[in-house]
Amino acid sequence: MKILGIETSCDETGAAVIDAANARAGSKDHCYVLSNVLATSLPLHGTTGGIIPEIAAREQIKYSIPVIKQALGQANITHPEKELDAIAVTIGPGLIGSLLVGVETAKALAFVWNKPLIPVNHLFGHIYANWIEPKFLPHSISKKAPISFPALALVVSGGHTDLVLIQQHQQVKWLGGTRDDAAGEALDKIGRLLGLPYPGGPAIEQQAKQGTPKAFRFPRPLMHDGSFDFSFSGLKTAVLREVQKEKTLSPQCIANVSHATQDAVIDVLVTKTWNALKKYSVQSLLLSGGVSANQTLRDAFRSKIEEQNTSINFFAPEKELCTDNAAMIAAAGFYNPTTIPWQQISANPELYFD
Ligand code: KG4
Ligand code: ZN
């Protein structure tokens, strides 16, 4: 079946078409991306050092129809009213103005094309990016190992840091999350302190490559407290104190601070996730969210798995599917296909896991 996904929870405007099918005897589920289009107001927000919600929403009003048109075109869909099977749209969490643009657009299209409408939780979207097949494969070849349940998912994005246990599709238990800043949010704020471009996460990853290991050591809050909660605001304060000590920030100092910041974030994420893996015997570990595009984080999980010699299956989405996109929303819609009449759908900026 073909699903149009629409994503506008933050500053991006995304539309994608996926082609997905349930497993039949002798085969397995598959979920291919036919198109995945993203318009971003990042250049505008790069100059402001962060997202201004009203600017984001106004840009999304301009982009939404052209982006959807492009996604349908790239998927070779000429008669969406005949060729599409459903429309999946992010209803939350996110910025209310931005969410409304996507939800209202999806609602109008579902009405006009007479299509089922699937409301999607953005956080599930990030997790379901793991079910999408790698790019550039002929449709008949499915390379991905099947994701077996129960699975543990770590969602690390600009707005969230959560550990969730997935027993089955649509059966999710939240184990813990951040008590203050999300991991990505901390990286973005630290990036700003260091004078790096927005968003800070990828910039810190680049800088860290030139950094001297252990030149600084920053705190790892809650790392050994036995909970599955996180806290990253203290890290930002520790970096601020270090930065204030320096008269001018030399390029090497920026690289060293970036290295130590990334180390601290990764250490906490891996340690806490590992504690959850030990407590709940799961078969798969799923990394997701914008921060999971970080290669050092992905490598740290792989090394830990090798070092511990466990049989756990580790998954991380392709890098371009880690950050916000509409293909992941369509995929989540496929695996959690509860539809809603268009008259009843509404955006919920506070939506969470339960
Ligand atoms: O998932 P996402 O696109 O948006 C939210 O739902 O929040 O995540 C964006 C976050 C930003 O904080 C950004 O700095 C971070 O993901 N990020 C990274 C990397 N790429 C994006 N953090 C570390 N390393 C990266 N390579
Ligand atoms: Zn996101």
Side-chain angles (χ1 to χ4, degrees):
M1 71 190 291
K2 288 184 180 152
I3 302 179
L4 169 68
I6 299 176
E7 155 62 36
T8 61
S9 66
C10 196
D11 61 324
E12 340 264 353
T13 310
V17 180
I18 60 151
D19 184 1
N22 282 316
R24 300 208 178 81
S27 72
K28 66 180 194 73
D29 290 359
H30 70 243
C31 184
Y32 295 99
V33 177
L34 301 184
S35 63
N36 192 15
V37 180
L38 208 59
T40 176
S41 50
L42 202 64
L44 276 176
H45 290 116
T47 57
T48 55
I51 293 158
I52 298 174
E54 190 179 329
I55 293 183
R58 282 175 187 270
E59 289 299 298
Q60 283 159 324
I61 289 172
K62 278 195 261 171
Y63 291 144
S64 57
I65 299 295
V67 163
I68 291 168
K69 238 179 121 184
Q70 205 178 330
L72 293 172
Q74 287 180 11
N76 286 326
I77 290 185
T78 46
H79 296 94
E81 71 287 1
K82 290 192 197 128
E83 294 170 69
L84 285 178
D85 295 285
I87 299 173
V89 61
T90 303
I91 56 162
L95 304 169
I96 184 63
S98 296
L99 289 167
L100 282 172
V101 177
V103 168
E104 292 302 308
T105 309
K107 189 165 136 182
L109 294 176
F111 169 68
V112 174
W113 293 337
N114 193 23
K115 294 292 156 194
L117 188 56
I118 309 171
V120 173
N121 180 328
H122 180 81
L123 302 172
F124 279 74
H126 276 303
I127 294 172
Y128 276 90
N130 281 291
W131 268 262
I132 296 175
E133 298 286 338
K135 245 194 327 205
F136 307 127
L137 281 176
H139 277 29
S140 52
I141 305 172
S142 175
K143 270 248 184 79
K144 262 174 74 70
I147 297 175
S148 35
F149 294 117
L152 179 76
L154 172 68
V155 184
V156 260
S157 69
H160 292 268
T161 307
D162 291 295
L163 272 169
V164 291
L165 187 64
I166 312 172
Q167 298 287 6
Q168 272 303 329
H169 293 299
Q170 299 165 75
Q171 254 187 59
V172 171
K173 183 179 177 220
W174 180 80
L175 302 179
T178 186
R179 294 188 189 164
D180 41 54
D181 290 355
E185 185 182 359
L187 292 171
D188 293 341
K189 288 178 177 169
I190 291 168
R192 204 174 315 150
L193 284 177
L194 297 175
L196 298 174
Y198 178 83
I204 287 176
E205 179 175 25
Q206 284 312 313
Q207 288 293 324
K209 290 181 187 159
Q210 273 78 52
T212 309
K214 300 196 168 66
F216 296 96
R217 185 182 159 87
F218 294 128
R220 279 116 164 102
L222 306 184
M223 192 154 85
H224 299 295
D225 75 337
S227 79
F228 298 121
D229 287 345
F230 300 86
S231 165
F232 291 106
S233 68
L235 175 61
K236 178 192 62 195
T237 314
V239 173
L240 175 65
R241 253 186 250 123
E242 221 33 79
V243 166
Q244 282 169 340
K245 277 190 216 156
E246 309 285 326
K247 279 210 186 76
T248 50
L249 277 175
S250 69
Q252 191 56 51
C253 181
I254 292 173
N256 291 349
V257 170
S258 297
H259 196 289
T261 298
Q262 192 173 265
D263 260 6
V265 170
I266 293 176
D267 202 7
V268 174
L269 293 176
V270 173
T271 305
K272 289 259 161 176
T273 306
W274 211 260
N275 291 343
L277 282 177
K278 280 194 284 186
K279 178 159 180 188
Y280 301 93
S281 35
V282 297
Q283 305 211 18
S284 316
L285 170 61
L286 314 174
L287 213 54
S288 55
V291 180
S292 66
N294 187 289
Q295 190 59 46
T296 318
L297 176 67
R298 296 156 86 103
D299 292 345
F301 272 106
R302 286 211 175 87
S303 312
K304 182 84 183 175
I305 289 164
E306 268 170 33
E307 175 197 304
Q308 301 286 322
N309 200 17
T310 67
S311 58
I312 193 125
N313 288 311
F314 175 63
F315 297 88
E318 286 200 18
K319 286 192 183 174
E320 66 178 62
L321 296 175
C322 290
T323 43
D324 290 351
N325 67 87
M328 69 185 199
I329 301 304
F334 175 70
Y335 287 103
N336 296 273
T338 309
T339 59
I340 191 167
W342 63 264
Q343 296 91 335
Q344 285 170 26
I345 196 166
S346 64
N348 179 358
E350 311 295 336
L351 193 66
Y352 210 36
F353 274 107
D354 298 307

Short mmCIF file of all heavy atoms in Angstrom, two decimals, residues 290-333:
data_model
loop_
_atom_site.label_atom_id
_atom_site.label_comp_id
_atom_site.label_asym_id
_atom_site.label_seq_id
_atom_site.Cartn_x
_atom_site.Cartn_y
_atom_site.Cartn_z
N GLY A 290 17.18 12.85 15.85
CA GLY A 290 18.25 13.59 15.19
C GLY A 290 19.65 13.29 15.72
O GLY A 290 20.60 13.14 14.94
N VAL A 291 19.79 13.15 17.03
CA VAL A 291 21.13 12.93 17.61
C VAL A 291 21.68 11.56 17.20
O VAL A 291 22.90 11.35 17.17
CB VAL A 291 21.09 13.10 19.15
CG1 VAL A 291 22.45 12.87 19.78
CG2 VAL A 291 20.56 14.49 19.52
N SER A 292 20.79 10.64 16.83
CA SER A 292 21.28 9.31 16.44
C SER A 292 21.98 9.33 15.07
O SER A 292 22.54 8.32 14.65
CB SER A 292 20.18 8.26 16.48
OG SER A 292 19.20 8.52 15.51
N ALA A 293 21.98 10.50 14.41
CA ALA A 293 22.80 10.64 13.18
C ALA A 293 24.28 10.74 13.55
O ALA A 293 25.15 10.63 12.68
CB ALA A 293 22.37 11.89 12.42
N ASN A 294 24.56 10.94 14.82
CA ASN A 294 25.96 11.12 15.26
C ASN A 294 26.73 9.79 15.15
O ASN A 294 26.40 8.80 15.81
CB ASN A 294 25.94 11.62 16.72
CG ASN A 294 27.31 11.98 17.21
OD1 ASN A 294 28.14 11.11 17.43
ND2 ASN A 294 27.56 13.26 17.38
N GLN A 295 27.76 9.81 14.31
CA GLN A 295 28.51 8.58 14.03
C GLN A 295 29.21 8.05 15.28
O GLN A 295 29.26 6.83 15.51
CB GLN A 295 29.52 8.81 12.90
CG GLN A 295 30.16 7.55 12.38
CD GLN A 295 29.14 6.56 11.82
OE1 GLN A 295 28.24 6.94 11.07
NE2 GLN A 295 29.26 5.28 12.18
N THR A 296 29.73 8.95 16.11
CA THR A 296 30.44 8.50 17.31
C THR A 296 29.48 7.78 18.26
O THR A 296 29.84 6.79 18.90
CB THR A 296 31.12 9.70 18.02
OG1 THR A 296 31.70 10.53 17.01
CG2 THR A 296 32.20 9.27 18.98
N LEU A 297 28.24 8.28 18.33
CA LEU A 297 27.24 7.63 19.17
C LEU A 297 26.89 6.24 18.62
O LEU A 297 26.83 5.26 19.37
CB LEU A 297 25.97 8.50 19.23
CG LEU A 297 24.78 7.92 20.00
CD1 LEU A 297 25.09 7.81 21.49
CD2 LEU A 297 23.53 8.77 19.80
N ARG A 298 26.71 6.17 17.31
CA ARG A 298 26.39 4.87 16.70
C ARG A 298 27.53 3.89 16.94
O ARG A 298 27.31 2.72 17.30
CB ARG A 298 26.12 5.05 15.19
CG ARG A 298 24.89 5.90 14.91
CD ARG A 298 24.94 6.54 13.55
NE ARG A 298 24.43 5.74 12.46
CZ ARG A 298 23.24 5.89 11.88
NH1 ARG A 298 22.40 6.82 12.28
NH2 ARG A 298 22.88 5.14 10.89
N ASP A 299 28.77 4.38 16.76
CA ASP A 299 29.94 3.50 16.97
C ASP A 299 30.04 3.06 18.43
O ASP A 299 30.43 1.93 18.71
CB ASP A 299 31.23 4.23 16.56
CG ASP A 299 31.30 4.47 15.06
OD1 ASP A 299 30.51 3.85 14.32
OD2 ASP A 299 32.13 5.30 14.62
N ALA A 300 29.70 3.98 19.34
CA ALA A 300 29.81 3.64 20.78
C ALA A 300 28.85 2.50 21.11
O ALA A 300 29.20 1.59 21.86
CB ALA A 300 29.49 4.87 21.63
N PHE A 301 27.64 2.53 20.55
CA PHE A 301 26.70 1.44 20.79
C PHE A 301 27.21 0.14 20.18
O PHE A 301 27.14 -0.92 20.80
CB PHE A 301 25.31 1.78 20.24
CG PHE A 301 24.46 2.52 21.24
CD1 PHE A 301 24.21 3.88 21.10
CD2 PHE A 301 23.92 1.87 22.34
CE1 PHE A 301 23.44 4.56 22.04
CE2 PHE A 301 23.14 2.54 23.27
CZ PHE A 301 22.91 3.89 23.12
N ARG A 302 27.75 0.24 18.97
CA ARG A 302 28.26 -0.99 18.31
C ARG A 302 29.40 -1.59 19.13
O ARG A 302 29.45 -2.80 19.34
CB ARG A 302 28.72 -0.69 16.90
CG ARG A 302 27.56 -0.47 15.98
CD ARG A 302 27.80 -0.89 14.53
NE ARG A 302 26.55 -0.72 13.80
CZ ARG A 302 26.19 0.42 13.21
NH1 ARG A 302 26.99 1.46 13.22
NH2 ARG A 302 25.03 0.52 12.59
N SER A 303 30.32 -0.73 19.61
CA SER A 303 31.45 -1.25 20.39
C SER A 303 30.97 -1.90 21.67
O SER A 303 31.47 -2.94 22.08
CB SER A 303 32.42 -0.14 20.81
OG SER A 303 32.72 0.66 19.75
N LYS A 304 29.98 -1.26 22.31
CA LYS A 304 29.48 -1.80 23.57
C LYS A 304 28.88 -3.21 23.33
O LYS A 304 29.11 -4.13 24.11
CB LYS A 304 28.40 -0.85 24.11
CG LYS A 304 27.82 -1.24 25.43
CD LYS A 304 28.69 -0.75 26.57
CE LYS A 304 28.14 -1.20 27.90
NZ LYS A 304 29.01 -0.84 29.01
N ILE A 305 28.14 -3.34 22.24
CA ILE A 305 27.52 -4.64 21.93
C ILE A 305 28.60 -5.69 21.67
O ILE A 305 28.52 -6.81 22.17
CB ILE A 305 26.55 -4.49 20.73
CG1 ILE A 305 25.32 -3.71 21.17
CG2 ILE A 305 26.14 -5.85 20.16
CD1 ILE A 305 24.47 -3.17 20.06
N GLU A 306 29.63 -5.29 20.92
CA GLU A 306 30.72 -6.24 20.66
C GLU A 306 31.44 -6.62 21.94
O GLU A 306 31.68 -7.80 22.22
CB GLU A 306 31.73 -5.62 19.69
CG GLU A 306 31.40 -5.93 18.25
CD GLU A 306 32.24 -5.13 17.29
OE1 GLU A 306 33.42 -4.82 17.61
OE2 GLU A 306 31.71 -4.77 16.22
N GLU A 307 31.75 -5.60 22.73
CA GLU A 307 32.50 -5.81 23.98
C GLU A 307 31.72 -6.73 24.93
O GLU A 307 32.28 -7.60 25.58
CB GLU A 307 32.69 -4.42 24.57
CG GLU A 307 33.32 -4.26 25.91
CD GLU A 307 33.00 -2.84 26.41
OE1 GLU A 307 33.32 -1.87 25.69
OE2 GLU A 307 32.42 -2.73 27.52
N GLN A 308 30.39 -6.58 24.97
CA GLN A 308 29.57 -7.38 25.89
C GLN A 308 29.18 -8.72 25.27
O GLN A 308 28.57 -9.55 25.94
CB GLN A 308 28.30 -6.62 26.26
CG GLN A 308 28.55 -5.28 26.92
CD GLN A 308 29.02 -5.42 28.35
OE1 GLN A 308 28.55 -6.28 29.08
NE2 GLN A 308 29.96 -4.58 28.74
N ASN A 309 29.46 -8.85 23.98
CA ASN A 309 29.20 -10.11 23.28
C ASN A 309 27.74 -10.58 23.45
O ASN A 309 27.49 -11.73 23.75
CB ASN A 309 30.18 -11.16 23.81
CG ASN A 309 30.31 -12.32 22.85
OD1 ASN A 309 29.93 -12.18 21.68
ND2 ASN A 309 30.82 -13.44 23.33
N THR A 310 26.80 -9.66 23.27
CA THR A 310 25.39 -10.03 23.40
C THR A 310 24.82 -10.33 22.02
O THR A 310 25.39 -9.96 21.00
CB THR A 310 24.54 -8.90 24.00
OG1 THR A 310 24.50 -7.84 23.06
CG2 THR A 310 25.06 -8.41 25.32
N SER A 311 23.65 -10.98 22.03
CA SER A 311 23.05 -11.36 20.75
C SER A 311 22.03 -10.33 20.30
O SER A 311 21.26 -10.57 19.38
CB SER A 311 22.39 -12.72 20.88
OG SER A 311 21.42 -12.63 21.90
N ILE A 312 22.03 -9.19 20.94
CA ILE A 312 21.01 -8.18 20.62
C ILE A 312 21.17 -7.66 19.19
O ILE A 312 22.29 -7.51 18.70
CB ILE A 312 21.13 -7.02 21.63
CG1 ILE A 312 19.92 -6.11 21.55
CG2 ILE A 312 22.35 -6.18 21.45
CD1 ILE A 312 19.27 -5.97 22.87
N ASN A 313 20.05 -7.43 18.52
CA ASN A 313 20.11 -6.86 17.17
C ASN A 313 20.04 -5.35 17.28
O ASN A 313 19.08 -4.82 17.84
CB ASN A 313 18.93 -7.36 16.33
CG ASN A 313 19.12 -8.81 15.98
OD1 ASN A 313 20.19 -9.21 15.51
ND2 ASN A 313 18.10 -9.63 16.24
N PHE A 314 21.04 -4.70 16.73
CA PHE A 314 21.12 -3.24 16.85
C PHE A 314 20.70 -2.58 15.55
O PHE A 314 21.17 -2.95 14.47
CB PHE A 314 22.56 -2.85 17.20
CG PHE A 314 22.80 -1.37 17.23
CD1 PHE A 314 22.13 -0.57 18.15
CD2 PHE A 314 23.69 -0.77 16.36
CE1 PHE A 314 22.34 0.80 18.18
CE2 PHE A 314 23.92 0.59 16.39
CZ PHE A 314 23.23 1.38 17.30
N PHE A 315 19.81 -1.59 15.66
CA PHE A 315 19.34 -0.86 14.47
C PHE A 315 19.49 0.64 14.67
O PHE A 315 19.22 1.14 15.76
CB PHE A 315 17.86 -1.15 14.20
CG PHE A 315 17.57 -2.59 13.89
CD1 PHE A 315 17.32 -3.50 14.91
CD2 PHE A 315 17.57 -3.04 12.58
CE1 PHE A 315 17.06 -4.83 14.63
CE2 PHE A 315 17.31 -4.38 12.29
CZ PHE A 315 17.06 -5.26 13.31
N ALA A 316 19.90 1.32 13.62
CA ALA A 316 19.87 2.79 13.61
C ALA A 316 19.42 3.17 12.20
O ALA A 316 19.87 2.58 11.23
CB ALA A 316 21.25 3.36 13.91
N PRO A 317 18.53 4.15 12.07
CA PRO A 317 18.05 4.50 10.72
C PRO A 317 19.18 5.06 9.87
O PRO A 317 20.20 5.50 10.40
CB PRO A 317 17.01 5.60 10.99
CG PRO A 317 16.72 5.55 12.45
CD PRO A 317 17.93 4.98 13.11
N GLU A 318 18.98 5.07 8.55
CA GLU A 318 19.94 5.78 7.70
C GLU A 318 20.01 7.21 8.22
O GLU A 318 19.02 7.75 8.71
CB GLU A 318 19.44 5.79 6.26
CG GLU A 318 19.61 4.45 5.63
CD GLU A 318 19.61 4.52 4.10
OE1 GLU A 318 19.80 5.59 3.51
OE2 GLU A 318 19.41 3.46 3.51
N LYS A 319 21.19 7.83 8.06
CA LYS A 319 21.38 9.13 8.72
C LYS A 319 20.33 10.17 8.32
O LYS A 319 19.84 10.92 9.14
CB LYS A 319 22.79 9.65 8.45
CG LYS A 319 23.80 8.88 9.26
CD LYS A 319 25.14 9.55 9.25
CE LYS A 319 26.11 8.67 10.04
NZ LYS A 319 27.49 9.15 9.97
N GLU A 320 19.97 10.20 7.03
CA GLU A 320 19.01 11.24 6.62
C GLU A 320 17.60 10.95 7.14
O GLU A 320 16.73 11.81 7.10
CB GLU A 320 19.01 11.42 5.11
CG GLU A 320 18.50 10.22 4.36
CD GLU A 320 18.48 10.46 2.85
OE1 GLU A 320 19.56 10.68 2.29
OE2 GLU A 320 17.39 10.42 2.28
N LEU A 321 17.39 9.75 7.65
CA LEU A 321 16.09 9.44 8.24
C LEU A 321 16.07 9.62 9.76
O LEU A 321 15.07 9.37 10.42
CB LEU A 321 15.67 8.02 7.88
CG LEU A 321 15.43 7.76 6.39
CD1 LEU A 321 15.15 6.28 6.14
CD2 LEU A 321 14.29 8.61 5.85
N CYS A 322 17.24 10.02 10.33
CA CYS A 322 17.31 10.24 11.78
C CYS A 322 16.66 11.57 12.14
O CYS A 322 15.90 11.69 13.09
CB CYS A 322 18.76 10.26 12.27
SG CYS A 322 19.54 8.65 12.20
N THR A 323 17.00 12.61 11.37
CA THR A 323 16.42 13.93 11.64
C THR A 323 15.01 13.97 11.05
O THR A 323 14.63 13.09 10.28
CB THR A 323 17.30 15.04 11.05
OG1 THR A 323 17.73 14.64 9.75
CG2 THR A 323 18.52 15.30 11.90
N ASP A 324 14.25 15.01 11.40
CA ASP A 324 12.84 15.06 11.02
C ASP A 324 12.62 14.85 9.52
O ASP A 324 13.30 15.49 8.70
CB ASP A 324 12.24 16.41 11.44
CG ASP A 324 12.12 16.50 12.95
OD1 ASP A 324 12.33 15.48 13.63
OD2 ASP A 324 11.82 17.60 13.44
N ASN A 325 11.67 14.01 9.18
CA ASN A 325 11.33 13.75 7.78
C ASN A 325 9.94 13.13 7.74
O ASN A 325 9.41 12.70 8.78
CB ASN A 325 12.37 12.81 7.14
CG ASN A 325 12.32 11.43 7.75
OD1 ASN A 325 11.57 10.58 7.33
ND2 ASN A 325 13.11 11.19 8.81
N ALA A 326 9.34 13.09 6.56
CA ALA A 326 7.96 12.60 6.48
C ALA A 326 7.88 11.11 6.19
O ALA A 326 6.85 10.48 6.44
CB ALA A 326 7.22 13.38 5.40
N ALA A 327 8.99 10.51 5.68
CA ALA A 327 8.95 9.06 5.40
C ALA A 327 8.73 8.29 6.70
O ALA A 327 7.98 7.31 6.75
CB ALA A 327 10.26 8.64 4.73
N MET A 328 9.37 8.77 7.78
CA MET A 328 9.22 8.06 9.07
C MET A 328 7.78 8.18 9.59
O MET A 328 7.28 7.28 10.26
CB MET A 328 10.23 8.60 10.10
CG MET A 328 9.96 10.02 10.56
SD MET A 328 11.26 10.63 11.66
CE MET A 328 10.38 12.01 12.44
N ILE A 329 7.11 9.27 9.25
CA ILE A 329 5.72 9.46 9.68
C ILE A 329 4.82 8.49 8.91
O ILE A 329 3.93 7.85 9.49
CB ILE A 329 5.27 10.93 9.45
CG1 ILE A 329 6.19 11.89 10.24
CG2 ILE A 329 3.80 11.14 9.81
CD1 ILE A 329 6.30 11.63 11.74
N ALA A 330 5.08 8.35 7.61
CA ALA A 330 4.30 7.41 6.81
C ALA A 330 4.54 5.98 7.31
O ALA A 330 3.60 5.17 7.41
CB ALA A 330 4.68 7.54 5.34
N ALA A 331 5.80 5.65 7.65
CA ALA A 331 6.12 4.30 8.15
C ALA A 331 5.40 4.03 9.47
O ALA A 331 4.81 2.97 9.68
CB ALA A 331 7.63 4.15 8.33
N ALA A 332 5.41 5.02 10.38
CA ALA A 332 4.70 4.85 11.66
C ALA A 332 3.21 4.66 11.40
O ALA A 332 2.55 3.87 12.08
CB ALA A 332 4.94 6.05 12.56
N GLY A 333 2.69 5.35 10.41
CA GLY A 333 1.28 5.22 10.06
C GLY A 333 0.96 3.82 9.54
O GLY A 333 -0.09 3.26 9.82
#
